[in-house]
Amino acid sequence: SLDSEWIATGSDVNAIILWDANGRVCHERVAHGGRVNSLAFSPDNQHLASTGEDYQVAVLNLGQGHSLLFRGHTDQLEAIAFNPDSTRLATASNDHTVRVWDVQTGASHVVLQQHLKGVEDATFSPDGKLLLSASSDKTIKI
């Protein structure tokens, strides 16, 4: 986590493990129906998001312990990133799209279909006004 209090690991067997800074397991859960591909802590340290082979996004509220599943992609997800104020989440997928989600509701506000091949990464600019994506079609889109 950005405050160095937590470490999260994902596995090939569906599990996400949350560790404290001393290396003790604090939380373990099955979040996906396949391998966990990526993990991201929100900048405000309130959420842990994950993507997996099951085409879903799981967002765990670290304070309350409950999670939401976001659905909409039609292929494996490769990357996930929070915007600077932790209200939105971007996901990059092999379905050639980037989706922008509302962290609280799971609503997909934007679906960007600008790449010809799978999207390998997506990230917000430091001010949160721009979204950048990189694809295996050898392009970067802003």
Side-chain angles (χ1 to χ4, degrees), residues 15-26:
I16 295 172
I17 302 172
L18 191 61
W19 311 75
D20 68 15
N22 296 316
R24 289 186 298 258
V25 173
C26 298

Side-chain angles (χ1 to χ4, degrees), residues 36-76:
V36 176
N37 288 343
S38 58
L39 297 164
F41 284 100
S42 61
D44 65 5
N45 293 313
Q46 297 300 307
H47 296 93
L48 172 64
S50 62
T51 66
E53 289 180 326
D54 59 2
Y55 314 164
Q56 298 182 90
V57 181
V59 178
L60 173 65
N61 182 311
L62 294 170
Q64 298 174 357
H66 67 79
S67 60
L68 293 173
L69 286 178
F70 303 172
R71 295 178 179 91
H73 283 289
T74 59
D75 203 341
Q76 184 170 300

Side-chain angles (χ1 to χ4, degrees), residues 73-79 91-99 112-122 132-141:
H73 283 289
T74 59
D75 203 341
Q76 184 170 300
L77 289 101
E78 296 298 330
T91 52
S93 173
N94 284 336
D95 67 8
H96 307 190
T97 68
V98 174
R99 287 183 177 262
L112 303 172
Q113 299 175 328
Q114 300 176 331
H115 292 286
L116 301 176
K117 292 187 178 179
V119 185
E120 302 296 324
D121 202 3
L132 293 81
S133 60
S135 168
S136 57
D137 66 10
K138 300 181 182 174
T139 64
I140 296 173
K141 305 288 184 176

